[in-house]
Amino acid sequence: MGTRQRILSVALTVAGLTSVTLNGCATHTQTGAVVGAGSGAVVGGVIGGATGHTARGAIIGAAVGGVAGALIGARMDRQAKELAQNIPGAKVERVGEGIQVTFESGLLYDFDSDVVRAEARKNLRALAASLDKYPGSDILIVGHTDQVGPSSYNQSLSQRRASAAADYLIVQGVGRDRVNTRGMGETEPIAGNDTERGREMNRRVEVAIFASKQYRAEVAQR
């Protein structure tokens, strides 16, 4: 399948699932929220697989649109501004109705290590404080590596790094049920692996922040 056909296929899938979600919300708000949550998981997987960006796929898959989406987005605007101020060195982006925070791995870990660096813990504490202040969100932590070394090792390292960040956030009081992790190894590069700078960019941890199923239902009922 060509690139244009793949994009069209994803767009049609998203449109179909979004239609189901919105129709459910229009008739029975509570039921619609549940349908939306289930569809969001499917849409997130489809988008992530098609675009090569798991974190963004999770955020887009959790979107609800309409008035509820605008309310969620306004809250995410506030949270994103605070995160950008409180987590120096991290890249904070608003994506759809959520937020993506990207840490280059050197900001959190030593080379080839999955142990959170002592000086990096302040950044994760700031993230935990933000999640405590805005309890209506869930997160997906996605670990990535460069292409140096065996792919199986890189896959394991990326998962261990994502899990280490998650464990630290949980120790800081973030509810375990709010946190999911995924290791993508070397499969989702954002730069070339032929330069040191490119490899540094690819060695990263992305945190997708998006409205929880419960919060989406609450907003839809307003």
Side-chain angles (χ1 to χ4, degrees):
M1 182 183 291
T3 301
R4 292 184 63 182
Q5 290 177 302
R6 185 166 58 252
I7 293 173
L8 178 59
S9 176
V10 172
L12 291 173
T13 301
V14 171
L17 290 173
T18 302
S19 176
V20 171
T21 300
L22 293 178
N23 288 338
C25 289
T27 53
H28 300 288
T29 302
Q30 187 71 25
T31 302
V34 173
V35 170
S39 298
V42 175
V43 173
V46 171
I47 294 173
T51 65
H53 208 299
T54 299
R56 288 178 182 268
I59 294 170
I60 295 170
V64 295
V67 175
L71 291 173
I72 292 170
R75 176 169 167 159
M76 292 291 180
D77 284 340
R78 295 192 298 273
Q79 186 175 8
K81 289 179 181 178
E82 294 174 9
L83 285 169
Q85 293 173 350
N86 296 330
I87 307 181
K91 182 179 181 181
V92 180
E93 303 172 87
R94 279 280 283 109
V95 177
E97 294 171 16
I99 303 167
Q100 179 177 307
V101 181
T102 302
F103 299 94
E104 289 191 13
S105 68
L107 193 65
L108 297 180
Y109 311 98
D110 290 330
F111 182 74
D112 199 31
S113 171
D114 60 5
V115 178
V116 177
R117 299 172 60 188
E119 58 268 34
R121 293 171 188 168
K122 181 178 179 181
N123 288 329
L124 292 180
R125 287 197 296 270
L127 177 58
S130 177
L131 294 171
D132 180 62
K133 182 177 180 180
Y134 296 94
S137 63
D138 288 339
I139 66 171
L140 173 65
I141 303 175
V142 186
H144 302 272
T145 69
D146 59 25
Q147 293 180 356
V148 177
S151 60
S152 58
Y153 178 82
N154 290 336
Q155 171 62 37
S156 174
L157 178 62
S158 69
Q159 181 61 60
R160 286 185 280 116
R161 283 179 165 173
S163 297
D167 289 343
Y168 192 82
L169 291 175
I170 291 168
V171 168
Q172 297 303 308
V174 178
R176 187 178 297 273
D177 60 341
R178 298 178 65 186
V179 183
N180 283 291
T181 64
R182 184 170 298 177
M184 299 306 298
E186 60 191 47
T187 63
E188 293 184 355
I190 57 174
N193 281 281
D194 53 347
T195 67
E196 179 55 34
R197 179 53 187 154
R199 291 189 291 273
E200 286 177 356
M201 292 175 66
N202 290 333
R203 297 191 297 264
R204 68 197 189 279
V205 172
E206 295 170 336
V207 181
I209 303 173
F210 47 90
S212 67
K213 179 168 63 176
Q214 179 180 351
Y215 186 63
R216 289 190 299 240
E218 291 174 359
V219 174
Q221 290 177 331
R222 293 179 183 176

